[in-house]
Structure formats: C-alpha cells, structure tokens
PDB file of all heavy atoms in Angstrom:
ATOM      1  N   ALA A   1      91.262  78.373  91.992  1.00  0.00           N
ATOM      2  CA  ALA A   1      91.574  79.801  91.895  1.00  0.00           C
ATOM      3  C   ALA A   1      92.736  80.163  92.818  1.00  0.00           C
ATOM      4  O   ALA A   1      93.630  80.942  92.448  1.00  0.00           O
ATOM      5  CB  ALA A   1      90.342  80.632  92.233  1.00  0.00           C
ATOM      6  N   LEU A   2      92.741  79.608  94.042  1.00  0.00           N
ATOM      7  CA  LEU A   2      93.833  79.872  94.974  1.00  0.00           C
ATOM      8  C   LEU A   2      95.151  79.314  94.446  1.00  0.00           C
ATOM      9  O   LEU A   2      96.200  79.979  94.535  1.00  0.00           O
ATOM     10  CB  LEU A   2      93.504  79.256  96.339  1.00  0.00           C
ATOM     11  CG  LEU A   2      94.579  79.398  97.426  1.00  0.00           C
ATOM     12  CD1 LEU A   2      94.857  80.869  97.721  1.00  0.00           C
ATOM     13  CD2 LEU A   2      94.155  78.664  98.705  1.00  0.00           C
ATOM     14  N   LEU A   3      95.107  78.115  93.880  1.00  0.00           N
ATOM     15  CA  LEU A   3      96.318  77.521  93.314  1.00  0.00           C
ATOM     16  C   LEU A   3      96.841  78.361  92.150  1.00  0.00           C
ATOM     17  O   LEU A   3      98.050  78.590  92.022  1.00  0.00           O
ATOM     18  CB  LEU A   3      96.027  76.090  92.849  1.00  0.00           C
ATOM     19  CG  LEU A   3      97.221  75.312  92.278  1.00  0.00           C
ATOM     20  CD1 LEU A   3      98.299  75.116  93.336  1.00  0.00           C
ATOM     21  CD2 LEU A   3      96.769  73.964  91.714  1.00  0.00           C
ATOM     22  N   GLY A   4      95.920  78.841  91.296  1.00  0.00           N
ATOM     23  CA  GLY A   4      96.336  79.702  90.192  1.00  0.00           C
ATOM     24  C   GLY A   4      96.965  80.992  90.677  1.00  0.00           C
ATOM     25  O   GLY A   4      97.968  81.456  90.121  1.00  0.00           O
ATOM     26  N   ALA A   5      96.394  81.584  91.747  1.00  0.00           N
ATOM     27  CA  ALA A   5      96.959  82.814  92.296  1.00  0.00           C
ATOM     28  C   ALA A   5      98.354  82.569  92.869  1.00  0.00           C
ATOM     29  O   ALA A   5      99.266  83.396  92.696  1.00  0.00           O
ATOM     30  CB  ALA A   5      96.029  83.369  93.375  1.00  0.00           C
ATOM     31  N   LEU A   6      98.551  81.438  93.545  1.00  0.00           N
ATOM     32  CA  LEU A   6      99.872  81.114  94.095  1.00  0.00           C
ATOM     33  C   LEU A   6     100.891  80.900  92.975  1.00  0.00           C
ATOM     34  O   LEU A   6     102.052  81.325  93.097  1.00  0.00           O
ATOM     35  CB  LEU A   6      99.780  79.856  94.969  1.00  0.00           C
ATOM     36  CG  LEU A   6      99.085  80.017  96.323  1.00  0.00           C
ATOM     37  CD1 LEU A   6      98.959  78.670  97.024  1.00  0.00           C
ATOM     38  CD2 LEU A   6      99.852  81.005  97.207  1.00  0.00           C
ATOM     39  N   ARG A   7     100.475  80.260  91.896  1.00  0.00           N
ATOM     40  CA  ARG A   7     101.394  80.057  90.776  1.00  0.00           C
ATOM     41  C   ARG A   7     101.780  81.392  90.131  1.00  0.00           C
ATOM     42  O   ARG A   7     102.936  81.599  89.768  1.00  0.00           O
ATOM     43  CB  ARG A   7     100.752  79.126  89.743  1.00  0.00           C
ATOM     44  CG  ARG A   7     100.670  77.669  90.204  1.00  0.00           C
ATOM     45  CD  ARG A   7      99.979  76.798  89.170  1.00  0.00           C
ATOM     46  NE  ARG A   7      99.983  75.392  89.577  1.00  0.00           N
ATOM     47  CZ  ARG A   7      99.389  74.411  88.923  1.00  0.00           C
ATOM     48  NH1 ARG A   7      98.708  74.689  87.803  1.00  0.00           N
ATOM     49  NH2 ARG A   7      99.451  73.159  89.359  1.00  0.00           N
ATOM     50  N   ILE A   8     100.792  82.281  89.968  1.00  0.00           N
ATOM     51  CA  ILE A   8     101.104  83.602  89.410  1.00  0.00           C
ATOM     52  C   ILE A   8     102.065  84.351  90.323  1.00  0.00           C
ATOM     53  O   ILE A   8     103.035  84.975  89.858  1.00  0.00           O
ATOM     54  CB  ILE A   8      99.804  84.411  89.203  1.00  0.00           C
ATOM     55  CG1 ILE A   8      98.961  83.775  88.094  1.00  0.00           C
ATOM     56  CG2 ILE A   8     100.124  85.865  88.860  1.00  0.00           C
ATOM     57  CD1 ILE A   8      97.621  84.453  87.886  1.00  0.00           C
ATOM     58  N   LEU A   9     101.808  84.286  91.645  1.00  0.00           N
ATOM     59  CA  LEU A   9     102.704  84.939  92.595  1.00  0.00           C
ATOM     60  C   LEU A   9     104.113  84.384  92.478  1.00  0.00           C
ATOM     61  O   LEU A   9     105.104  85.138  92.487  1.00  0.00           O
ATOM     62  CB  LEU A   9     102.164  84.750  94.012  1.00  0.00           C
ATOM     63  CG  LEU A   9     103.013  85.336  95.145  1.00  0.00           C
ATOM     64  CD1 LEU A   9     103.106  86.852  95.017  1.00  0.00           C
ATOM     65  CD2 LEU A   9     102.440  84.950  96.508  1.00  0.00           C
ATOM     66  N   TYR A  10     104.242  83.067  92.339  1.00  0.00           N
ATOM     67  CA  TYR A  10     105.559  82.427  92.241  1.00  0.00           C
ATOM     68  C   TYR A  10     106.306  82.907  91.001  1.00  0.00           C
ATOM     69  O   TYR A  10     107.473  83.312  91.083  1.00  0.00           O
ATOM     70  CB  TYR A  10     105.388  80.910  92.218  1.00  0.00           C
ATOM     71  CG  TYR A  10     106.686  80.137  92.084  1.00  0.00           C
ATOM     72  CD1 TYR A  10     107.361  79.680  93.204  1.00  0.00           C
ATOM     73  CD2 TYR A  10     107.230  79.865  90.829  1.00  0.00           C
ATOM     74  CE1 TYR A  10     108.551  78.969  93.090  1.00  0.00           C
ATOM     75  CE2 TYR A  10     108.413  79.162  90.703  1.00  0.00           C
ATOM     76  CZ  TYR A  10     109.073  78.720  91.832  1.00  0.00           C
ATOM     77  OH  TYR A  10     110.257  78.034  91.710  1.00  0.00           O
ATOM     78  N   VAL A  11     105.645  82.868  89.830  1.00  0.00           N
ATOM     79  CA  VAL A  11     106.349  83.197  88.589  1.00  0.00           C
ATOM     80  C   VAL A  11     106.663  84.689  88.507  1.00  0.00           C
ATOM     81  O   VAL A  11     107.692  85.088  87.951  1.00  0.00           O
ATOM     82  CB  VAL A  11     105.538  82.731  87.355  1.00  0.00           C
ATOM     83  CG1 VAL A  11     105.471  81.212  87.307  1.00  0.00           C
ATOM     84  CG2 VAL A  11     104.136  83.311  87.336  1.00  0.00           C
ATOM     85  N   VAL A  12     105.805  85.540  89.077  1.00  0.00           N
ATOM     86  CA  VAL A  12     106.088  86.982  89.061  1.00  0.00           C
ATOM     87  C   VAL A  12     107.282  87.304  89.959  1.00  0.00           C
ATOM     88  O   VAL A  12     108.174  88.078  89.573  1.00  0.00           O
ATOM     89  CB  VAL A  12     104.840  87.784  89.491  1.00  0.00           C
ATOM     90  CG1 VAL A  12     105.196  89.244  89.724  1.00  0.00           C
ATOM     91  CG2 VAL A  12     103.755  87.685  88.434  1.00  0.00           C
ATOM     92  N   ILE A  13     107.316  86.693  91.150  1.00  0.00           N
ATOM     93  CA  ILE A  13     108.473  86.898  92.039  1.00  0.00           C
ATOM     94  C   ILE A  13     109.741  86.378  91.378  1.00  0.00           C
ATOM     95  O   ILE A  13     110.815  86.990  91.468  1.00  0.00           O
ATOM     96  CB  ILE A  13     108.233  86.213  93.395  1.00  0.00           C
ATOM     97  CG1 ILE A  13     107.107  86.920  94.147  1.00  0.00           C
ATOM     98  CG2 ILE A  13     109.504  86.197  94.233  1.00  0.00           C
ATOM     99  CD1 ILE A  13     106.739  86.255  95.458  1.00  0.00           C
ATOM    100  N   ARG A  14     109.637  85.232  90.671  1.00  0.00           N
ATOM    101  CA  ARG A  14     110.797  84.697  89.962  1.00  0.00           C
ATOM    102  C   ARG A  14     111.274  85.665  88.881  1.00  0.00           C
ATOM    103  O   ARG A  14     112.475  85.902  88.727  1.00  0.00           O
ATOM    104  CB  ARG A  14     110.427  83.362  89.326  1.00  0.00           C
ATOM    105  CG  ARG A  14     111.573  82.655  88.611  1.00  0.00           C
ATOM    106  CD  ARG A  14     111.038  81.618  87.656  1.00  0.00           C
ATOM    107  NE  ARG A  14     110.228  82.223  86.613  1.00  0.00           N
ATOM    108  CZ  ARG A  14     109.263  81.585  85.965  1.00  0.00           C
ATOM    109  NH1 ARG A  14     108.974  80.342  86.273  1.00  0.00           N
ATOM    110  NH2 ARG A  14     108.565  82.203  85.013  1.00  0.00           N
ATOM    111  N   ASP A  15     110.338  86.261  88.145  1.00  0.00           N
ATOM    112  CA  ASP A  15     110.720  87.218  87.105  1.00  0.00           C
ATOM    113  C   ASP A  15     111.398  88.448  87.702  1.00  0.00           C
ATOM    114  O   ASP A  15     112.358  88.973  87.131  1.00  0.00           O
ATOM    115  CB  ASP A  15     109.490  87.637  86.303  1.00  0.00           C
ATOM    116  CG  ASP A  15     108.970  86.522  85.404  1.00  0.00           C
ATOM    117  OD1 ASP A  15     109.686  85.509  85.249  1.00  0.00           O
ATOM    118  OD2 ASP A  15     107.854  86.654  84.876  1.00  0.00           O
ATOM    119  N   ILE A  16     110.896  88.903  88.852  1.00  0.00           N
ATOM    120  CA  ILE A  16     111.525  90.061  89.504  1.00  0.00           C
ATOM    121  C   ILE A  16     112.929  89.701  89.959  1.00  0.00           C
ATOM    122  O   ILE A  16     113.879  90.484  89.799  1.00  0.00           O
ATOM    123  CB  ILE A  16     110.659  90.533  90.693  1.00  0.00           C
ATOM    124  CG1 ILE A  16     109.295  91.026  90.205  1.00  0.00           C
ATOM    125  CG2 ILE A  16     111.371  91.637  91.467  1.00  0.00           C
ATOM    126  CD1 ILE A  16     108.332  91.340  91.332  1.00  0.00           C
ATOM    127  N   ALA A  17     113.090  88.495  90.522  1.00  0.00           N
ATOM    128  CA  ALA A  17     114.406  88.070  91.006  1.00  0.00           C
ATOM    129  C   ALA A  17     115.414  87.932  89.867  1.00  0.00           C
ATOM    130  O   ALA A  17     116.611  88.158  90.059  1.00  0.00           O
ATOM    131  CB  ALA A  17     114.282  86.746  91.767  1.00  0.00           C
ATOM    132  N   GLU A  18     114.941  87.574  88.667  1.00  0.00           N
ATOM    133  CA  GLU A  18     115.850  87.447  87.534  1.00  0.00           C
ATOM    134  C   GLU A  18     116.402  88.795  87.092  1.00  0.00           C
ATOM    135  O   GLU A  18     117.446  88.850  86.435  1.00  0.00           O
ATOM    136  CB  GLU A  18     115.132  86.763  86.369  1.00  0.00           C
ATOM    137  CG  GLU A  18     114.889  85.271  86.607  1.00  0.00           C
ATOM    138  CD  GLU A  18     114.115  84.643  85.461  1.00  0.00           C
ATOM    139  OE1 GLU A  18     113.632  85.399  84.590  1.00  0.00           O
ATOM    140  OE2 GLU A  18     113.991  83.405  85.442  1.00  0.00           O
ATOM    141  N   GLY A  19     115.710  89.891  87.407  1.00  0.00           N
ATOM    142  CA  GLY A  19     116.278  91.211  87.216  1.00  0.00           C
ATOM    143  C   GLY A  19     115.860  91.961  85.972  1.00  0.00           C
ATOM    144  O   GLY A  19     116.096  93.168  85.878  1.00  0.00           O
ATOM    145  N   MET A  20     115.211  91.297  85.005  1.00  0.00           N
ATOM    146  CA  MET A  20     114.886  91.985  83.766  1.00  0.00           C
ATOM    147  C   MET A  20     113.807  93.042  83.961  1.00  0.00           C
ATOM    148  O   MET A  20     113.846  94.104  83.331  1.00  0.00           O
ATOM    149  CB  MET A  20     114.458  90.980  82.702  1.00  0.00           C
ATOM    150  CG  MET A  20     115.598  90.166  82.117  1.00  0.00           C
ATOM    151  SD  MET A  20     116.922  91.211  81.430  1.00  0.00           S
ATOM    152  CE  MET A  20     116.036  92.113  80.168  1.00  0.00           C
ATOM    153  N   LEU A  21     112.820  92.790  84.820  1.00  0.00           N
ATOM    154  CA  LEU A  21     111.808  93.811  85.089  1.00  0.00           C
ATOM    155  C   LEU A  21     112.442  95.043  85.725  1.00  0.00           C
ATOM    156  O   LEU A  21     112.064  96.188  85.407  1.00  0.00           O
ATOM    157  CB  LEU A  21     110.713  93.242  86.001  1.00  0.00           C
ATOM    158  CG  LEU A  21     109.773  92.204  85.390  1.00  0.00           C
ATOM    159  CD1 LEU A  21     108.731  91.771  86.412  1.00  0.00           C
ATOM    160  CD2 LEU A  21     109.090  92.744  84.142  1.00  0.00           C
ATOM    161  N   ASN A  22     113.419  94.819  86.618  1.00  0.00           N
ATOM    162  CA  ASN A  22     114.109  95.960  87.232  1.00  0.00           C
ATOM    163  C   ASN A  22     114.870  96.765  86.186  1.00  0.00           C
ATOM    164  O   ASN A  22     114.854  98.013  86.204  1.00  0.00           O
ATOM    165  CB  ASN A  22     115.089  95.455  88.303  1.00  0.00           C
ATOM    166  CG  ASN A  22     114.383  94.768  89.452  1.00  0.00           C
ATOM    167  OD1 ASN A  22     113.350  95.234  89.911  1.00  0.00           O
ATOM    168  ND2 ASN A  22     114.909  93.653  89.903  1.00  0.00           N
ATOM    169  N   LEU A  23     115.555  96.068  85.276  1.00  0.00           N
ATOM    170  CA  LEU A  23     116.312  96.767  84.232  1.00  0.00           C
ATOM    171  C   LEU A  23     115.376  97.561  83.326  1.00  0.00           C
ATOM    172  O   LEU A  23     115.691  98.696  82.934  1.00  0.00           O
ATOM    173  CB  LEU A  23     117.122  95.764  83.416  1.00  0.00           C
ATOM    174  CG  LEU A  23     118.328  95.126  84.129  1.00  0.00           C
ATOM    175  CD1 LEU A  23     118.969  94.069  83.234  1.00  0.00           C
ATOM    176  CD2 LEU A  23     119.353  96.183  84.509  1.00  0.00           C
ATOM    177  N   ARG A  24     114.247  96.978  82.956  1.00  0.00           N
ATOM    178  CA  ARG A  24     113.289  97.690  82.113  1.00  0.00           C
ATOM    179  C   ARG A  24     112.755  98.934  82.825  1.00  0.00           C
ATOM    180  O   ARG A  24     112.607 100.002  82.218  1.00  0.00           O
ATOM    181  CB  ARG A  24     112.127  96.768  81.759  1.00  0.00           C
ATOM    182  CG  ARG A  24     112.530  95.572  80.895  1.00  0.00           C
ATOM    183  CD  ARG A  24     112.605  95.948  79.453  1.00  0.00           C
ATOM    184  NE  ARG A  24     113.031  94.829  78.617  1.00  0.00           N
ATOM    185  CZ  ARG A  24     113.043  94.854  77.298  1.00  0.00           C
ATOM    186  NH1 ARG A  24     112.665  95.942  76.655  1.00  0.00           N
ATOM    187  NH2 ARG A  24     113.448  93.807  76.604  1.00  0.00           N
ATOM    188  N   ALA A  25     112.457  98.796  84.115  1.00  0.00           N
ATOM    189  CA  ALA A  25     111.956  99.946  84.876  1.00  0.00           C
ATOM    190  C   ALA A  25     113.008 101.045  84.959  1.00  0.00           C
ATOM    191  O   ALA A  25     112.697 102.236  84.822  1.00  0.00           O
ATOM    192  CB  ALA A  25     111.527  99.493  86.278  1.00  0.00           C
ATOM    193  N   MET A  26     114.277 100.663  85.171  1.00  0.00           N
ATOM    194  CA  MET A  26     115.342 101.669  85.255  1.00  0.00           C
ATOM    195  C   MET A  26     115.560 102.377  83.922  1.00  0.00           C
ATOM    196  O   MET A  26     115.807 103.586  83.884  1.00  0.00           O
ATOM    197  CB  MET A  26     116.635 101.006  85.727  1.00  0.00           C
ATOM    198  CG  MET A  26     116.639 100.647  87.204  1.00  0.00           C
ATOM    199  SD  MET A  26     118.239 100.058  87.817  1.00  0.00           S
ATOM    200  CE  MET A  26     118.247  98.401  87.153  1.00  0.00           C
ATOM    201  N   SER A  27     115.448 101.631  82.809  1.00  0.00           N
ATOM    202  CA  SER A  27     115.597 102.285  81.502  1.00  0.00           C
ATOM    203  C   SER A  27     114.460 103.264  81.243  1.00  0.00           C
ATOM    204  O   SER A  27     114.657 104.319  80.635  1.00  0.00           O
ATOM    205  CB  SER A  27     115.651 101.231  80.397  1.00  0.00           C
ATOM    206  OG  SER A  27     114.400 100.604  80.227  1.00  0.00           O
ATOM    207  N   LEU A  28     113.261 102.943  81.729  1.00  0.00           N
ATOM    208  CA  LEU A  28     112.128 103.840  81.554  1.00  0.00           C
ATOM    209  C   LEU A  28     112.274 105.098  82.412  1.00  0.00           C
ATOM    210  O   LEU A  28     111.737 106.150  82.053  1.00  0.00           O
ATOM    211  CB  LEU A  28     110.824 103.116  81.892  1.00  0.00           C
ATOM    212  CG  LEU A  28     110.355 102.084  80.863  1.00  0.00           C
ATOM    213  CD1 LEU A  28     109.141 101.321  81.380  1.00  0.00           C
ATOM    214  CD2 LEU A  28     110.022 102.759  79.544  1.00  0.00           C
ATOM    215  N   VAL A  29     112.974 105.001  83.530  1.00  0.00           N
ATOM    216  CA  VAL A  29     113.240 106.190  84.346  1.00  0.00           C
ATOM    217  C   VAL A  29     114.039 107.208  83.533  1.00  0.00           C
ATOM    218  O   VAL A  29     113.704 108.395  83.472  1.00  0.00           O
ATOM    219  CB  VAL A  29     113.998 105.811  85.634  1.00  0.00           C
ATOM    220  CG1 VAL A  29     114.477 107.061  86.361  1.00  0.00           C
ATOM    221  CG2 VAL A  29     113.116 104.989  86.551  1.00  0.00           C
ATOM    222  N   TYR A  30     115.102 106.737  82.885  1.00  0.00           N
ATOM    223  CA  TYR A  30     115.947 107.620  82.076  1.00  0.00           C
ATOM    224  C   TYR A  30     115.140 108.242  80.937  1.00  0.00           C
ATOM    225  O   TYR A  30     115.202 109.460  80.701  1.00  0.00           O
ATOM    226  CB  TYR A  30     117.119 106.812  81.515  1.00  0.00           C
ATOM    227  CG  TYR A  30     117.975 107.548  80.522  1.00  0.00           C
ATOM    228  CD1 TYR A  30     118.877 108.527  80.936  1.00  0.00           C
ATOM    229  CD2 TYR A  30     117.880 107.264  79.168  1.00  0.00           C
ATOM    230  CE1 TYR A  30     119.659 109.205  80.024  1.00  0.00           C
ATOM    231  CE2 TYR A  30     118.664 107.937  78.245  1.00  0.00           C
ATOM    232  CZ  TYR A  30     119.549 108.899  78.677  1.00  0.00           C
ATOM    233  OH  TYR A  30     120.314 109.568  77.755  1.00  0.00           O
ATOM    234  N   THR A  31     114.341 107.425  80.253  1.00  0.00           N
ATOM    235  CA  THR A  31     113.540 107.932  79.142  1.00  0.00           C
ATOM    236  C   THR A  31     112.489 108.919  79.631  1.00  0.00           C
ATOM    237  O   THR A  31     112.210 109.923  78.965  1.00  0.00           O
ATOM    238  CB  THR A  31     112.850 106.760  78.416  1.00  0.00           C
ATOM    239  OG1 THR A  31     113.830 105.780  78.074  1.00  0.00           O
ATOM    240  CG2 THR A  31     112.164 107.232  77.163  1.00  0.00           C
ATOM    241  N   THR A  32     111.894 108.655  80.791  1.00  0.00           N
ATOM    242  CA  THR A  32     110.877 109.554  81.339  1.00  0.00           C
ATOM    243  C   THR A  32     111.463 110.916  81.664  1.00  0.00           C
ATOM    244  O   THR A  32     110.850 111.955  81.372  1.00  0.00           O
ATOM    245  CB  THR A  32     110.249 108.933  82.598  1.00  0.00           C
ATOM    246  OG1 THR A  32     109.690 107.658  82.271  1.00  0.00           O
ATOM    247  CG2 THR A  32     109.154 109.821  83.153  1.00  0.00           C
ATOM    248  N   LEU A  33     112.651 110.935  82.262  1.00  0.00           N
ATOM    249  CA  LEU A  33     113.274 112.217  82.612  1.00  0.00           C
ATOM    250  C   LEU A  33     113.548 113.051  81.369  1.00  0.00           C
ATOM    251  O   LEU A  33     113.412 114.286  81.389  1.00  0.00           O
ATOM    252  CB  LEU A  33     114.577 111.970  83.379  1.00  0.00           C
ATOM    253  CG  LEU A  33     114.428 111.376  84.788  1.00  0.00           C
ATOM    254  CD1 LEU A  33     115.801 111.073  85.381  1.00  0.00           C
ATOM    255  CD2 LEU A  33     113.665 112.332  85.693  1.00  0.00           C
ATOM    256  N   LEU A  34     113.921 112.389  80.270  1.00  0.00           N
ATOM    257  CA  LEU A  34     114.209 113.120  79.036  1.00  0.00           C
ATOM    258  C   LEU A  34     112.945 113.573  78.325  1.00  0.00           C
ATOM    259  O   LEU A  34     112.944 114.620  77.664  1.00  0.00           O
ATOM    260  CB  LEU A  34     115.030 112.231  78.089  1.00  0.00           C
ATOM    261  CG  LEU A  34     116.478 111.933  78.486  1.00  0.00           C
ATOM    262  CD1 LEU A  34     117.131 111.037  77.450  1.00  0.00           C
ATOM    263  CD2 LEU A  34     117.286 113.219  78.648  1.00  0.00           C
ATOM    264  N   SER A  35     111.857 112.812  78.458  1.00  0.00           N
ATOM    265  CA  SER A  35     110.682 113.049  77.619  1.00  0.00           C
ATOM    266  C   SER A  35     109.504 113.635  78.371  1.00  0.00           C
ATOM    267  O   SER A  35     108.486 113.951  77.738  1.00  0.00           O
ATOM    268  CB  SER A  35     110.243 111.721  76.973  1.00  0.00           C
ATOM    269  OG  SER A  35     111.317 111.100  76.310  1.00  0.00           O
ATOM    270  N   MET A  36     109.596 113.792  79.685  1.00  0.00           N
ATOM    271  CA  MET A  36     108.443 114.255  80.452  1.00  0.00           C
ATOM    272  C   MET A  36     107.997 115.651  80.030  1.00  0.00           C
ATOM    273  O   MET A  36     106.806 115.902  79.785  1.00  0.00           O
ATOM    274  CB  MET A  36     108.760 114.228  81.951  1.00  0.00           C
ATOM    275  CG  MET A  36     107.625 114.776  82.810  1.00  0.00           C
ATOM    276  SD  MET A  36     107.986 114.666  84.561  1.00  0.00           S
ATOM    277  CE  MET A  36     107.860 112.902  84.813  1.00  0.00           C
ATOM    278  N   VAL A  37     108.952 116.573  79.923  1.00  0.00           N
ATOM    279  CA  VAL A  37     108.589 117.950  79.582  1.00  0.00           C
ATOM    280  C   VAL A  37     108.003 118.033  78.170  1.00  0.00           C
ATOM    281  O   VAL A  37     106.953 118.665  77.976  1.00  0.00           O
ATOM    282  CB  VAL A  37     109.806 118.880  79.757  1.00  0.00           C
ATOM    283  CG1 VAL A  37     109.490 120.275  79.222  1.00  0.00           C
ATOM    284  CG2 VAL A  37     110.193 118.972  81.235  1.00  0.00           C
ATOM    285  N   PRO A  38     108.632 117.420  77.130  1.00  0.00           N
ATOM    286  CA  PRO A  38     107.982 117.451  75.809  1.00  0.00           C
ATOM    287  C   PRO A  38     106.590 116.818  75.796  1.00  0.00           C
ATOM    288  O   PRO A  38     105.679 117.330  75.136  1.00  0.00           O
ATOM    289  CB  PRO A  38     108.954 116.662  74.926  1.00  0.00           C
ATOM    290  CG  PRO A  38     110.273 116.806  75.584  1.00  0.00           C
ATOM    291  CD  PRO A  38     109.987 116.826  77.044  1.00  0.00           C
ATOM    292  N   LEU A  39     106.411 115.716  76.525  1.00  0.00           N
ATOM    293  CA  LEU A  39     105.105 115.065  76.582  1.00  0.00           C
ATOM    294  C   LEU A  39     104.058 115.994  77.195  1.00  0.00           C
ATOM    295  O   LEU A  39     102.955 116.157  76.661  1.00  0.00           O
ATOM    296  CB  LEU A  39     105.198 113.771  77.389  1.00  0.00           C
ATOM    297  CG  LEU A  39     103.886 113.020  77.638  1.00  0.00           C
ATOM    298  CD1 LEU A  39     103.273 112.557  76.327  1.00  0.00           C
ATOM    299  CD2 LEU A  39     104.109 111.834  78.568  1.00  0.00           C
TER     300      LEU A  39
END
C-alpha cells in the first residue's frame, strides 16, 4: 500500500510538472467567470 501511494504521488507530481493540469485549470477559470452568474 505504501509503495502504491508513493507511485501515485510520483505520477501525479509528474503530471503537474508537465503543465497540462495547470492549463486545464486556467481554462476552467475563464469559463467559470463567464458562466458563474447564469449557473
């Protein structure tokens, strides 16, 4: 279980470092600002 948790931590940090999660989060910021009031 500890080894599995370390592997998950490694791959998640790697995904964050690659930048795509950051880009997706930033695009959702723009969409949220436009759609918050209608929602």
